[in-house]
Amino acid sequence: MKKWRKRLREGDTTDPRLLCSRSRAHHAPYFRWDPRVETRIVDMRLSPPEHLGRTPGPRALLYYLPRDSELQAARVPFPRSSRTIWEILHKYGCIQPQKKKPRPLEPREPLEEIQMDFKDVSSVLPAQSSEGKYKHVVEVCNFVDAGTSIA
């Protein structure tokens, strides 16, 4: 109700456009990082600083970015979040998230593959040695056919 009272007070009441809805879209331009910061992040990723010896990730780049003398002289703002650096690296193709699609195993023929599993029997209490270690008293070995689950 408050917004309609404000609109009616501010505008011409004879104008039919006064009753039309207004856009809720973002009116101000979105924030963009300085291109020098983005290119420096990509350069640091491709040629690691200070002989790092590995490809730096977003957290390492976040550490080394404020130490860059050129960017300090330019007085440009730096990202403060590793997520922001990850987004910049992703934008330039330096990081590509890998999605593994689950693939079901091909069914085996009966008795083609046998799976084996060793277990301790929990109903039998283990014996303690003189060194204070517990010895295995009873172990069970299970064999299961991978193709038919026949025990």
Side-chain angles (χ1 to χ4, degrees), residues 17 56 72 104 119:
R17 289 182 294 162
Q72 284 179 348
K119 298 182 196 177

Side-chain angles (χ1 to χ4, degrees), residues 44 47-56 64 67:
M44 288 172 117
S47 57
E50 299 179 12
H51 309 292
L52 188 59
R54 63 179 175 85
T55 303
Y64 285 108
R67 302 171 108 203

Side-chain angles (χ1 to χ4, degrees), residues 40-75:
R40 187 64 188 135
I41 289 172
V42 173
D43 291 343
M44 288 172 117
R45 170 79 176 189
L46 298 177
S47 57
E50 299 179 12
H51 309 292
L52 188 59
R54 63 179 175 85
T55 303
R59 290 181 69 188
L61 292 173
L62 192 62
Y63 172 77
Y64 285 108
L65 197 61
R67 302 171 108 203
D68 188 72
S69 57
E70 294 175 17
L71 294 179
Q72 284 179 348
R75 295 193 176 260

